[in-house]
Amino acid sequence: MTDVIIVGAGPTGVMLAAELRLHGVGVVVLEAAAEPADIVKALGLHVRSIEIIDQRGLLDAFLAEGQRHPLRSHFAAIVKPGEVTLDTAHPYILGIPQSATERLLTEHAVKLGAEIRRGNAVVGLTQDDDGVTAELADGTRLTARYLVGCDGGRSAVRKLLGVAFPGEPSRVDTLLGEMKLTAPPETVAAVMTEIRKTELRFGAGPLGDGNYRVLVPADGVADDRAVAPTIEEFRRQLVATAGTDFGAHSPRWLSRFGDATRQAERYRVGRVFLAGDAAHIHPPTGGQGLNLGIQDAFNLGWKLAAQVNGWAPGDLLDTYHSERHPVAADVLTNTAAQMHLLANEPGVRAVRHVLSELMDFENVARFLLEKVTAIGVRYDLGDGHELVGRRMRNHGDLYASMRDGRGLLVDPTGRLSAEGWADRVGRVSEEVGVPAALLRPDGHVAWVGDSQDDLTGQLTRWFGEPAS
Ligand SMILES: Cc1cc2nc3c(=O)[nH]c(=O)nc-3n(C[C@H](O)[C@H](O)[C@H](O)COP(=O)(O)OP(=O)(O)OC[C@H]3O[C@@H](n4cnc5c(N)ncnc54)[C@H](O)[C@@H]3O)c2cc1C
C-alpha cells in the first residue's frame, strides 16, 4: 500500500510531496491535468516562502529565475515609497511566475523520489481504519494509508468528504489575461496612469516579450468562473473601463477570478487532510494564496511523515488544523479588507486616505507587512519565551542545517543533549540570541531555555519517545 496519496500537483501538492519524501515516505501525486497549466496566476514569493525554500536548499535555483524587489509597505494597493526593515535574512519580494515556482518545486519533489501521475482525476473516496481508497475517472482505484486533497478551490476531495466551506460569495469578478496590444506603449502607460487614479482593478503591464498582462473589471459575476472569457469580452470591458481596447488581440491565455472568501470547517477527516486552496480561497490581493499553500504543506509534511514513520506523539496530526486554520482565517480577513478597499467609492476613498496616513508610522507598516509576508505568524504553543511558536529567522548557517528535514537543537552552550532523538533532531551551536532553542522541522520555535529537563519534555512532546 502507498503511504500517502496527494491529489493535485499544484504548488501545495508538490511541496508536500517533497516534504514527505525527505522523510522516506512513499508518495503518489494524482493530477487531473495532462500538462501543467499555461495560465500564470501568482507572480511572486513573500519572505516566509523564500525562507522555506532556503531551508530546503532551493534558494539559488529560485533566485536564478526570479527578480528581487524591495520590501515596501503595501496594503490594498497603497504603496509607500520607503523600504521597511523586517527581521529576516531575505528582505525582499521574489518576483517569479507561478509556472516557474511549480516547475522548480516539482523537480525538487521528483528528485526526492515522488511519483507524479498526470491525467489522473480523482472522482471518488472511501476510508476505513486501515486506509483511504481513491477512485480515478477511468474507474481504477488506489489505496494509501493517508490522502491529502491539494486539489484547489473547487476541491473534489473536500466535496467528497462533505466538509463545509462557509464564507462570502464573490461580489465582483475581474478578467486577467496575457495578450498583444497594438496601441503604442506610451499610450498604454498614459491611459493606465489616468484610469488607476480611480479604478484599482485595472492594469496593463508589459511582460517584456511583446505581450501585456491585462487586468480589467468584468461585467457582473460569472455563473462558472472556470469558463474562460473571450477576447471580445476583454475588449468590451477595456472600452467600458478605459475608453479604449488598446487594439487587444492574440491572447496567450484569458481567465477570470472572483473575490469570494471561504474556508473549510475542518482540515482533517480521519485519514484525509485538506491543504492549500482546497482548504481556503480568498481574493489575490497582496499575493498570498500560493504562499499560504506552500506554508500549509510545510506545516503538514513533517507531521504526516512522523505519523507514517511511527514516531508521532498522539495529537501531532491534529495540530495541523489547530495551527493552520487560524492563519488562513487571518489571510481571508486581510485579503477581503484589501479587496473592499479597492472600491472607487467616497467612503472607501476616505478610509484609504486614513490608512495611507497610518502606514507612515513604521510600526503600522511593519505590522501589515509581517502579515502579508507571513513572518508575523505565531502558532499557539502555550506559554513561554516570545519566540515560541514563531519561525526563527536565519542566523549564520542555521537554515542550511535544516535541509534534511529534521528538527534542530540550537545549543551554543554545548551543555544540552537530544541524543535519544538524533534520528529526528540535529544539533548546531549557532548563536541565535537566546540560551538555547528547539526548532521543529518547519523552522518554528518549540522551546527556548537552558534546562535539560524542560528540553527533554519538549523533545518528547514534538518528536515522541527517545530511541532506546
Ligand atoms: C489572478 C490570480 C493571481 C494570484 N496571484 C497570487 C500571488 O501573486 N501570490 C500568491 O501567493 N498567490 C496568488 N494567487 C493564488 C494562487 O494562484 C493559488 O493560491 C495557488 O495556485 C494555490 O495552489 P494549490 O496547489 O493549493 O491549488 P491549485 O494551484 O489550484 O492546484 C490544484 C491542482 O489540483 C488539480 N486537481 C483539481 N481537481 C483534481 C482532481 N479531482 N483530481 C486530481 N487533480 C485535481 C488541478 O488540476 C491543479 O493542478 C493568485 C490567484 C489568482 C487567481
Side-chain angles (χ1 to χ4, degrees), residues 325-378:
H325 193 278
V327 172
D330 193 55
V331 172
L332 260 61
T333 305
N334 93 53
T335 50
Q338 293 191 65
M339 196 68 197
H340 277 79
L341 285 167
L342 299 185
N344 181 26
E345 291 159 16
V348 175
R349 282 202 301 272
V351 177
R352 279 179 66 82
H353 182 79
V354 174
L355 180 61
S356 174
E357 287 180 331
L358 282 173
M359 284 166 66
D360 288 333
F361 291 94
E362 205 182 337
N363 282 348
V364 175
R366 186 173 304 109
F367 173 79
L368 293 175
L369 206 51
E370 287 187 347
K371 221 182 233 316
V372 171
T373 59
I375 65 166
V377 167
R378 183 179 191 186

Side-chain angles (χ1 to χ4, degrees), residues 161-178:
L161 288 173
V163 169
F165 201 42
E168 296 298 321
S170 200
R171 302 166 309 132
V172 289
D173 278 7
T174 307
L175 307 183
L176 174 70
E178 289 181 7

Side-chain angles (χ1 to χ4, degrees), residues 148-232:
V148 188
C150 301
D151 50 345
R154 293 156 181 261
S155 173
V157 173
R158 188 187 65 234
K159 290 172 190 158
L160 289 164
L161 288 173
V163 169
F165 201 42
E168 296 298 321
S170 200
R171 302 166 309 132
V172 289
D173 278 7
T174 307
L175 307 183
L176 174 70
E178 289 181 7
M179 63 201 71
K180 295 202 185 308
L181 304 180
T182 49
E186 315 77 73
T187 308
V188 177
V191 172
M192 188 165 119
T193 306
E194 187 56 32
I195 300 300
R196 275 188 65 86
K197 285 179 187 162
T198 51
E199 178 51 80
L200 292 163
R201 288 192 294 130
F202 171 76
L207 293 168
D209 61 359
N211 286 283
Y212 280 79
R213 185 168 165 108
V214 179
L215 184 78
V216 67
D219 180 16
V221 175
D223 292 334
D224 184 358
R225 231 164 265 115
V227 178
T230 60
I231 188 71
E232 289 72 29

Side-chain angles (χ1 to χ4, degrees), residues 54 74 76 222 225 236 241 291 352 381 415 425 427 450:
D54 189 15
H74 65 95
R225 231 164 265 115
R236 262 199 321 274
T241 307
N291 288 268
R352 279 179 66 82
L381 306 188
R415 288 201 307 269
V425 181
R427 67 173 301 148
D450 56 8

Side-chain angles (χ1 to χ4, degrees), residues 2 31 65 67 78 140 160 162 164 186 196 210 221 251 253-254 256 309 321-322 325 333 364 367 381 409 442 451 458:
T2 306
E31 165 58 51
E65 296 208 25
Q67 269 193 315
I78 302 168
T140 55
L160 289 164
E186 315 77 73
R196 275 188 65 86
V221 175
W253 54 264
L254 302 172
R256 79 174 82 231
N309 289 329
H321 173 100
S322 61
H325 193 278
T333 305
V364 175
F367 173 79
L381 306 188
L409 172 61
D442 59 4
S451 141
Q458 291 298 324

